[in-house]
Amino acid sequence: MSRLDELSTNIARIRDEIEEASLAAGRDVHSIRLMAVSKTHPYEEMALLAEIGQLLFGENRVQEAEGKLAPKEGRTMQVNLIGHLQSNKARKAVSLFDRIDSVDSLRLARRLASLAPAPYPILLEVNTSAEASKHGFDSEDDLFFALDEIALMPNLIIQGLMTLGPLGGTESAIRRSFSHLRSIFERVEQRFCLEHFDELSMGMSGDFRLAILEGSTCVRIGSAIFGERR
Ligand SMILES: *Cc1c(COP(=O)(O)O)cnc(C)c1O
């Protein structure tokens, strides 16, 4: 089997599983996008996926993405940053990525607002599993405090929220983390008038079915598409 066949088979299987989960949740399958998480995999693999219509990608490190991606202008793929961003790499990141899904502090949002071209889309990352090793706003209060300011930044378009489920958690702990993000999302909608706020990025290879049951609009899948990371 060629690599293209392998990737096509994996994508087709995941699309089927997304469809099953969306049916189980009583949701329209078109409300869920599949992001291929291409970190550690070479550009050639991304190009093969693009051939079969998979055009949304996630990368977690600025340096790695810089080494393998074509410039944003004229690129057919959409590539989002999903890993922690250090302020000193923010300028590079906005020139390289179509969206930053991992804005995890007010300080980083201020930095992005000072140098991003308008309108620049972002997601805010929330730590819903209380794991100290994770990035993201630690509580709804922290998030709301930051949003009071970020919502007024004219060049940043806040498109939604992102979270990671607890790694190796039980099914109920994972679901709790996802439903927690969704309830925060609903309260943000009520409290802030954000025009383009409709993305709930949650779910990875091991837990995307649960994320879809809890309302995910974007599942971020790496190993189930590419195989184990190198
Ligand atoms: C690596 C990564 C993923 C994908 O993980 P898999 O388990 O390989 O599907 C999703 N989201 C983030 C933020 C990641 O860093």
Side-chain angles (χ1 to χ4, degrees):
M1 207 163 38
S2 74
R3 184 62 176 150
L4 181 59
D5 291 338
E6 269 171 27
L7 291 172
S8 307
T9 305
N10 292 347
I11 288 276
R13 191 190 61 244
I14 291 158
R15 289 204 178 283
D16 282 348
E17 288 172 10
I18 290 173
E19 186 165 358
E20 268 170 38
S22 69
L23 281 174
R27 299 182 53 200
D28 178 359
V29 67
H30 299 108
S31 66
I32 301 146
R33 290 195 302 158
L34 170 59
M35 172 190 283
V37 178
S38 45
K39 66 189 186 200
T40 77
H41 300 289
Y43 178 78
E44 290 67 38
E45 299 263 290
M46 301 170 74
L48 288 176
L49 285 173
E51 269 182 47
I52 53 172
Q54 174 61 41
L55 296 173
L56 175 62
F57 293 90
E59 285 284 331
N60 74 332
R61 292 181 58 230
V62 175
Q63 210 172 348
E64 180 188 339
E66 192 184 0
K68 68 186 187 189
L69 294 180
K72 187 157 69 171
E73 294 71 29
R75 188 167 76 194
T76 53
M77 306 169 177
Q78 177 179 344
V79 188
N80 296 2
L81 181 68
I82 59 172
H84 176 63
L85 175 60
Q86 291 168 310
S87 286
N88 63 352
K89 298 205 173 120
R91 186 183 302 279
K92 180 60 74 182
V94 297
S95 75
L96 203 54
F97 294 105
D98 296 284
R99 188 173 77 182
I100 294 176
D101 292 6
S102 47
V103 176
D104 54 10
S105 70
L106 180 53
R107 180 164 170 260
L108 176 60
R110 285 182 182 141
R111 176 95 179 118
L112 293 172
S114 75
L115 48 75
Y120 192 83
I122 61 167
L123 300 184
L124 299 174
E125 182 176 358
V126 181
N127 181 355
T128 52
S129 60
E131 287 172 18
S133 61
K134 292 225 181 104
H135 294 286
F137 292 94
D138 282 322
S139 69
E140 187 166 323
D141 281 352
D142 285 0
L143 178 70
F144 279 17
F145 179 82
L147 265 169
D148 281 335
E149 187 174 325
I150 301 172
L152 300 177
M153 294 175 178
N155 56 337
L156 296 186
I157 311 295
I158 307 165
Q159 295 192 333
L161 303 178
M162 170 174 111
T163 200
L164 278 83
L167 297 174
T170 61
E171 191 169 310
S172 72
I174 294 168
R175 272 193 89 142
R176 222 177 309 123
S177 148
F178 293 153
S179 74
H180 185 45
L181 189 72
R182 190 183 55 188
S183 61
I184 293 174
F185 179 90
E186 286 164 359
R187 285 191 289 271
V188 171
E189 272 184 320
Q190 286 163 12
R191 174 153 160 177
F192 298 90
C193 295
L194 302 173
E195 227 181 307
H196 305 279
F197 192 74
D198 55 17
E199 186 88 294
L200 204 44
S201 172
M202 53 192 198
M204 320 199 328
S205 294
D207 57 19
F208 70 90
R209 296 163 203 80
L210 297 174
I212 290 169
L213 295 177
E214 295 297 344
S216 174
T217 62
C218 180
V219 292
R220 310 180 306 267
I221 311 290
S223 48
I225 295 175
F226 293 100
E228 290 308 310
R229 278 185 280 282
R230 298 137 198 226

